[in-house]
């Protein structure tokens, strides 16, 4: 009987097409469902408190450029140098920059997880099969106990994001990166404000030291006159003790003022990222005090666009919302595709021949059908975290508004105090001028003249302290308004509220006096008593 003819071999492409058909079906299904993203979509909250008006009259319309570099508008070149040096060298800011790099790297890692992964490798494996093992090496023709296997190839894997878990993870990473950047801007804002506050404290202490030394000189003259009168029998021992007590009390205040000035300058060195003693040369100069002025602050909602803490809280809320989608995606099936290929042979000469090729493809669908409720518990935990973030954002908004309201109120109070102290100084200056005229006419003694001059020194000291407090509070206003960094522009939207009406400056009571504050303070030192002696 003749042998049966061998069946005709099919074309090589037919088996390959048959093997790839299931893969094509899976890929088509993946593409059809790729637009599905589980979890809530983030919507920025709208808080009605931000749409209100200031509780007091303010100047409308703050310029973003002025707020971004507010220290440059104060007219103090030393302050400008200190702030700009601190912004370049401060260690807190450098740490914040490193945190941004970390957050950006973590974001890139999340983005890379959504991409296919591939690896290549090659090996030469020499092995010896056991002749007494389960595989009958000796009885199988063509199978040798000792073999050398040459292998080279690649492996690739890709998990298709069917239900948006990876997209939500990337949303969360983007929001966390933006949150870290906002926090870094908050550090920048605080560093600039702290440098300005410290420098203005040092300047105020320097002026206070000068006025205290003048007051001490006047009290020294008074003490010497009382002692001479006591020696002549015109004053009692109690008068001498009283004069000495006043001089000693004024003299005891000098070390505290000097320490306050030196401590502030030492603090500047640390803020500049340098040794504390770097700026001690500033103790040798006492610059003119700042010119205080009214600030345009704009609408209350403007500060919410500028405050880095509010922006960071909003981005944290966005990240928490996206994390819910990451957890929710665990409830649904996962589709991954593994792909491998290469060359494998028992002889190095056949290693890369066409007959040594190998290829594998592994579509895999996995679905967690039971886990003891862990995934749903994780979803509830992420929802609770989102609620916390929403409340934290609302609190950040209210605290920002409260900081701005308090800063404006305190600044107004300091300006009013300064204006009233100027009134007292003017009155004491006129009183001293009258006393000089009466002393020249012989109507009063020199002790009485020095007592009037002492009151003038005390008024000058009050002016210096009030001006320093108002200057420091001006810095607090800039900080509360979110000044000190380049805030991103935000398009204005119509809220339905009536437009704000122009209002009088909130320091209108003190405005006339404050226009001459700096010039007068620089020349407010009274003449020594000796100059009034006829």
């Amino acid at each position: 009987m003749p042998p049966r003819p061998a069946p005709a071999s099919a074309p090589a492409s037919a088996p390959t097409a048959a093997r790839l058909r299931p893969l094509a079906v899976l890929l088509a299904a993946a593409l059809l469902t790729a637009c599905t993203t589980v979890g809530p979509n983030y919507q920025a909250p709208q808080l009605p408190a931000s749409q209100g008006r200031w509780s007091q009259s303010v100047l409308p319309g703050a310029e973003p450029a002025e707020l971004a570099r507010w220290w440059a508008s104060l007219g103090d070149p030393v302050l400008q140098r200190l702030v700009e040096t601190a912004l370049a060298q401060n260690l807190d800011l450098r740490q914040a920059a490193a945190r941004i790099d970390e957050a950006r790297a973590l974001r890139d890692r999340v983005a890379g997880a959504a991409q296919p992964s591939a690896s290549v490798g090659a090996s030469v494996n020499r092995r010896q099969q056991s002749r007494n093992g389960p595989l009958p090496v000796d009885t199988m023709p063509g199978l040798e106990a000792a073999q050398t296997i040459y292998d080279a190839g690649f492996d690739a894997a890709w998990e298709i994001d069917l239900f948006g878990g990876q997209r939500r993870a990337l949303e969360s990473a983007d929001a966390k990166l933006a949150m870290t950047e906002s926090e870094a801007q908050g550090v920048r804002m605080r560093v600039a404000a702290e440098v300005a506050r410290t420098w203005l404290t040092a300047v105020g202490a320097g002026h206070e030291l000068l006025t205290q030394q003048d007051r001490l000189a006047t009290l020294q003259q008074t003490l010497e006159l009382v002692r001479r009168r006591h020696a002549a029998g015109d004053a009692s021992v109690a008068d001498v003790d009283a004069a000495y007590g006043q001089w000693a009390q004024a003299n005891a205040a000098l070390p505290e003022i000097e320490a306050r000035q030196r401590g502030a300058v030492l603090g500047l060195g640390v803020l500049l990222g340098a040794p504390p003693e770097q700026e001690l040369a500033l103790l040798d100069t006492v610059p003119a005090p700042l010119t205080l002025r009214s600030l345009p602050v704009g609408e209350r909602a403007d500060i919410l666009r500028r405050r880095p803490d509010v922006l960071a809280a909003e981005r944290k809320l966005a990240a928490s919302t996206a994390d819910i989608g990451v957890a929710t995606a665990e409830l649904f099936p996962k589709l991954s595709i593994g792909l491998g290929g290469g060359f494998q042979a028992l002889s190095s000469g056949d290693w890369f021949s066409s007959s040594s090729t190998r290829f594998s493809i592994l579509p895999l669908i996995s679905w967690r059908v039971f886990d003891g409720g862990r995934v749903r518990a994780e979803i509830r935990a992420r929802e609770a975290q989102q609620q916390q973030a929403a409340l934290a954002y609302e609190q950040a908004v209210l605290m920002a508004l409260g900081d701005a309201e308090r800063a404006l109120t305190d600044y107004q109070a300091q300006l009013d105090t300064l204006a009233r102290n100027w009134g007292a100084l003017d009155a004491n200056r006129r009183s001293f001028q009258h006393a000089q005229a009466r002393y020249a006419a012989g109507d009063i003694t020199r002790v009485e003249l020095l007592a009037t001059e002492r009151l003038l020194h005390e008024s000058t000291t009050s002016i210096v302290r009030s001006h320093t407090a108002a200057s420091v509070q001006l810095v607090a206003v800039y900080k509360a308004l979110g000044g000190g960094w380049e805030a991103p522009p935000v398009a204005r939207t119509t809220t339905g509220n009536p437009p704000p009406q122009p209002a009088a400056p909130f320091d209108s009571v003190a405005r006339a006096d404050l226009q001459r504050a700096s010039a007068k303070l620089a020349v407010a030192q009274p003449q020594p008593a000796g100059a009034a002696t006829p």
Side-chain angles (χ1 to χ4, degrees), residues 332-405:
F332 297 90
K334 296 181 180 296
L335 171 63
S336 59
I337 299 175
L339 187 66
F343 300 89
Q344 189 178 73
L346 296 176
S347 173
S348 60
D350 299 330
W351 195 353
F352 295 104
S353 65
S354 59
S355 59
S356 299
T357 59
R358 60 177 176 85
F359 180 82
S360 66
I361 182 169
L362 178 62
L364 174 63
I365 296 180
S366 61
W367 195 350
R368 185 185 305 185
V369 295
F370 179 76
D371 62 357
R374 291 193 298 271
V375 172
R376 295 191 181 277
E378 179 68 17
I379 294 173
R380 293 196 303 271
R382 297 296 176 89
E383 289 174 344
Q385 292 173 359
Q386 184 205 34
Q387 184 179 10
Q388 296 175 46
L391 295 174
Y393 171 69
E394 184 176 359
Q395 184 180 25
V397 169
L398 297 178
M399 291 182 64
L401 296 175
D403 289 345
E405 289 280 5

Side-chain angles (χ1 to χ4, degrees), residues 99-386:
R99 287 192 291 271
I100 292 177
D101 293 339
E102 178 188 7
R104 185 173 290 112
L106 293 176
R107 185 266 176 202
D108 293 342
R109 185 180 67 180
V110 172
Q115 303 299 321
S117 62
S119 62
V120 297
S123 66
V124 178
N125 182 14
R126 177 68 177 175
R127 66 181 182 178
Q128 173 72 39
Q129 296 278 6
S130 173
R131 297 180 184 276
N132 298 322
L135 187 64
V137 177
D138 292 335
T139 61
M140 299 180 66
L143 182 61
E144 300 178 358
Q147 293 179 331
T148 301
I149 302 177
Y150 299 87
D151 188 85
F154 73 95
D155 293 291
W158 182 29
E159 180 180 336
I160 301 175
D161 192 17
L162 291 178
F163 297 96
Q166 295 173 349
R167 289 190 292 275
R168 292 300 192 193
L170 185 58
E171 288 179 17
S172 177
D174 285 334
K176 290 175 182 177
L177 173 58
M179 178 185 70
T180 305
E181 292 173 341
S182 296
E183 290 174 346
Q185 297 296 354
V187 175
R188 173 187 172 91
M189 183 182 71
R190 290 191 295 272
V191 167
E194 185 63 20
V195 170
R197 186 196 66 80
T198 305
W199 169 241
L200 294 176
T201 299
V203 172
H207 284 285
E208 185 176 350
L209 182 63
L210 294 177
T211 57
Q212 188 69 10
Q213 290 171 345
D214 289 342
R215 179 168 178 255
L216 186 64
T218 300
L219 292 175
Q220 178 68 35
Q221 296 180 39
T222 302
L223 176 60
E224 293 174 356
L225 286 176
V226 173
R227 283 174 174 172
R228 287 199 294 268
R229 291 182 59 194
H230 172 66
D234 295 335
S236 63
V237 177
D239 294 333
V240 176
D241 291 340
Y244 179 80
Q246 292 178 353
W247 175 86
Q249 184 177 8
N251 188 50
L254 291 179
E256 187 274 332
I257 301 174
E258 292 172 347
R260 193 187 334 139
Q261 183 188 25
R262 184 179 179 86
V265 174
L266 290 173
L268 284 173
V270 176
L271 288 170
L272 268 58
E277 65 275 9
Q278 175 169 306
E279 298 295 334
L280 284 180
L282 294 175
L283 292 174
D284 299 332
T285 60
V286 182
L290 297 181
T291 301
L292 302 178
R293 58 192 179 87
S294 303
L295 293 181
V297 298
E299 301 177 6
R300 287 214 311 181
D302 292 340
I303 70 168
L304 302 183
R305 305 183 184 101
R306 294 202 54 87
R307 287 281 297 239
D309 53 343
V310 174
L311 299 178
E314 187 272 335
R315 288 291 83 198
K316 184 177 181 180
L317 175 58
S320 300
T321 303
D323 287 339
I324 297 176
V326 176
T328 305
E330 295 296 322
L331 292 174
F332 297 90
K334 296 181 180 296
L335 171 63
S336 59
I337 299 175
L339 187 66
F343 300 89
Q344 189 178 73
L346 296 176
S347 173
S348 60
D350 299 330
W351 195 353
F352 295 104
S353 65
S354 59
S355 59
S356 299
T357 59
R358 60 177 176 85
F359 180 82
S360 66
I361 182 169
L362 178 62
L364 174 63
I365 296 180
S366 61
W367 195 350
R368 185 185 305 185
V369 295
F370 179 76
D371 62 357
R374 291 193 298 271
V375 172
R376 295 191 181 277
E378 179 68 17
I379 294 173
R380 293 196 303 271
R382 297 296 176 89
E383 289 174 344
Q385 292 173 359
Q386 184 205 34

